[in-house]
Amino acid sequence: MDWYCAVFNSDKVSNAMGAQILYDMLCEGNDSLVGDIEFIDDFYNDLTSKNFKITADKGKGFVIVGCNLEDAEYLNDLIQSLAKKHGLSYYEPQNLTYVF
């Protein structure tokens, strides 16, 4: 089983329900509610430099991260921390966790 989360830049999301809608839109290729900023590149570079067993799909204003379920607990905390460090929002759809 896989685990996923998203890190994004959007001033249109204010709660977990909105983050779920945005996450679904991003997964469908619609990035109209996110804004592209340099922080996304910084976050992506920081995350991928760590050489974890992840997939990291970067788009305009967002990154969707996936990993094996067994690594999820550790990566959940790490990715939340990196998102906060870079001033970005974090959403984990399995538990409807939204942190901004």
Side-chain angles (χ1 to χ4, degrees):
M1 184 174 202
D2 293 328
W3 176 87
Y4 297 93
C5 70
V7 174
F8 54 86
N9 172 54
S10 178
D11 60 359
K12 309 283 191 249
V13 174
S14 60
N15 58 39
M17 175 84 60
Q20 179 63 48
I21 292 168
L22 175 58
Y23 179 80
D24 290 341
M25 290 174 66
L26 293 173
C27 289
E28 293 170 359
N30 182 346
D31 61 6
S32 63
L33 296 181
V34 294
D36 196 16
I37 57 172
E38 186 177 306
F39 298 145
I40 293 293
D41 293 332
D42 296 340
F43 167 82
Y44 180 81
N45 292 335
D46 204 1
L47 178 65
T48 57
S49 72
K50 308 233 184 278
N51 295 319
F52 294 118
K53 293 180 184 177
I54 62 168
T55 60
D57 298 321
K58 181 180 166 299
K60 178 196 79 137
F62 72 94
V63 178
I64 294 179
V65 182
C67 72
N68 291 326
L69 192 56
E70 63 213 23
D71 299 326
E73 186 174 341
Y74 173 74
L75 289 172
N76 179 56
D77 294 340
L78 173 78
I79 294 167
Q80 274 189 56
S81 175
L82 287 175
K84 184 175 182 175
K85 172 184 168 186
H86 293 284
L88 299 166
S89 297
Y90 167 88
Y91 180 65
E92 189 263 319
Q94 289 82 194
N95 295 302
L96 302 174
T97 303
Y98 173 59
V99 180
F100 58 97

